[in-house]
Amino acid sequence: IDGIEIAMLTTRRADGHLVSRPMQTQERESGLDLWFMTNIETHKLDDLMVDPHVNLAYYKDSSREWVSVSGIATVSTDRELVREFYKPDWKAWLGDEGGERDGSANDPRIALILVDAESVTYMKVTKPKPVVLFEVARAMVTGSPPNVGKVRNVSEREMERGIDRERPA
């Protein structure tokens, strides 16, 4: 996740449909717990009230590496916590409506979403970029999938123990 600024956060609406939207990771806690800032007036909080299960999808275009994090989201409006995590660029996403709704750390519209990771799947590219490009080109000609890296699954239990399993990509 390090070096990948934006995740696509997927939630489930009350009608069962899935919705994804880009979110900037704000902080990482110990392990893979991830924090995001949101406006309390957005629909994603309605979705989280219906079903707190979420998925975060990260993709690094330059290397083709990706991470998929499944977990449980909780929402906090704790002002001390908001002030602790606050970044001045949040104001751009909230705007200044005057009074307390000014995009500052004290803006009552700001909430934090914590995603407590339960499982992680990711692909780590193990070859230099020219080799990856060759593998992709060869796959197009031969019809065989390219071997560009290793896909790893990390379960909740394994995250607690700090172990991951590897399988071919």
Side-chain angles (χ1 to χ4, degrees):
I1 292 172
D2 291 338
I4 307 174
E5 216 174 280
I6 304 296
M8 292 299 290
L9 171 69
T10 302
T11 59
R12 184 175 306 278
R13 295 187 330 206
D15 65 6
H17 289 94
L18 300 174
V19 180
S20 297
R21 78 271 294 154
M23 300 286 289
Q24 183 171 358
T25 306
Q26 298 300 319
E27 296 289 335
R28 285 188 44 200
E29 287 289 298
S30 60
L32 282 173
D33 294 343
L34 302 158
W35 287 97
F36 300 88
M37 182 279 290
T38 192
N39 183 332
I40 62 168
E41 298 169 354
T42 64
H43 292 291
K44 73 178 89 49
L45 296 186
D46 296 334
D47 297 350
L48 294 175
M49 287 181 67
V50 170
D51 185 349
H53 293 88
V54 298
N55 182 265
L56 298 166
Y58 291 87
Y59 180 73
K60 190 172 191 177
D61 193 42
S62 63
S63 66
R64 311 239 171 170
E65 293 172 311
W66 54 266
V67 181
S68 175
V69 179
S70 295
I72 303 293
T74 56
V75 178
S76 173
T77 55
D78 179 306
R79 300 323 312 157
E80 284 186 41
L81 199 55
V82 168
R83 283 190 281 282
E84 180 183 331
F85 287 125
Y86 183 79
K87 293 186 175 119
D89 67 334
W90 292 5
K91 187 172 186 169
W93 297 102
L94 297 162
D96 186 346
E97 296 179 1
E100 289 184 327
R101 298 167 66 90
D102 61 358
S104 73
N106 296 315
D107 191 316
R109 295 174 293 169
I110 297 175
L112 298 172
I113 299 172
L114 169 63
V115 176
D116 182 16
E118 294 188 331
S119 69
V120 178
T121 301
Y122 65 98
M123 185 180 76
K124 180 78 175 160
V125 173
T126 57
K127 299 177 180 180
K129 192 170 187 173
V131 175
V132 170
L133 295 174
F134 173 76
E135 287 282 338
V136 171
R138 183 173 70 170
M140 292 171 67
V141 172
T142 65
S144 300
N147 181 5
V148 298
K150 299 290 182 191
V151 174
R152 295 178 175 100
N153 292 309
V154 184
S155 70
E156 183 177 16
R157 182 173 169 207
E158 291 167 323
M159 284 190 293
E160 291 171 4
R161 293 181 13 212
I163 300 170
D164 64 347
R165 292 187 312 250
E166 197 172 289
R167 70 172 198 234

